[in-house]
């Protein structure tokens, strides 16, 4: 089992920054990759960024150059640094851990970007 707890969401003005954190616990050695997803009201959940156990990162085109995913293995935490935020980045953001046997999700954290 893997447990994920997100934090760091909030309200920010357009152009501002936020850093989301996802603390993992449990059988973390089974995790192959960590993802950040987001879901805006009335829209489907979409992948924002991912980082593999080897540190390879992938980003959605809509956030490239503005968001950075990183991990601190000593703290078992994955971060999403979000800069130059836009109103269209407003969504609930979810941390996801992919293992061979199962996917795990955090509870989500809300990000609101005002114009």
């Amino acid at each position: 089992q893997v447990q994920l707890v997100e934090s760091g969401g909030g309200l920010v003005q357009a152009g501002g920054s936020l850093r989301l954190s996802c603390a993992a616990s449990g059988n973390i050695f089974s995790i192959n990759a960590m993802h950040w997803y987001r879901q805006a009201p009335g829209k489907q959940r979409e992948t924002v960024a991912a980082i593999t156990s080897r540190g390879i990162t992938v980003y959605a085109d809509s956030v490239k150059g503005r968001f950075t995913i990183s991990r601190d293995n000593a703290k078992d935490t994955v971060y999403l640094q979000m800069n130059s935020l836009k109103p269209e980045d407003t969504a609930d953001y979810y941390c996801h851990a992919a293992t061979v046997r199962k996917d795990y999700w955090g509870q989500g954290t809300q990000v609101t970007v005002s114009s």
Side-chain angles (χ1 to χ4, degrees):
Q1 294 287 329
V2 174
Q3 295 78 41
L4 303 172
V5 178
E6 300 110 329
S7 61
L11 173 65
V12 65
Q13 288 188 332
S17 299
L18 282 174
R19 188 177 79 158
L20 305 183
S21 300
C22 175
S25 60
N27 190 16
I28 60 173
F29 296 104
S30 67
I31 297 174
N32 294 323
M34 298 286 291
H35 301 77
W36 284 99
Y37 287 81
R38 67 186 181 187
Q39 187 166 18
K43 294 187 177 181
Q44 289 188 328
R45 189 171 294 187
E46 62 175 356
T47 305
V48 176
I51 185 166
T52 71
S53 57
R54 295 185 178 184
I56 298 171
T57 58
V58 180
Y59 297 92
D61 288 342
S62 58
V63 306
K64 279 181 182 177
R66 299 188 298 122
F67 290 12
T68 302
I69 188 170
S70 62
R71 63 194 299 162
D72 184 336
N73 292 330
K75 296 182 178 180
D76 297 328
T77 300
V78 173
Y79 302 98
L80 185 68
Q81 177 67 43
M82 305 186 294
N83 299 327
S84 302
L85 282 161
K86 304 175 181 180
E88 51 263 44
D89 294 318
T90 295
D92 291 326
Y93 284 71
Y94 297 90
C95 181
H96 169 271
T99 71
V100 173
R101 294 189 176 185
K102 190 176 178 180
D103 291 344
Y104 297 89
W105 293 90
Q107 81 286 356
T109 185
Q110 189 173 56
V111 172
T112 303
V113 184
S114 63
S115 57

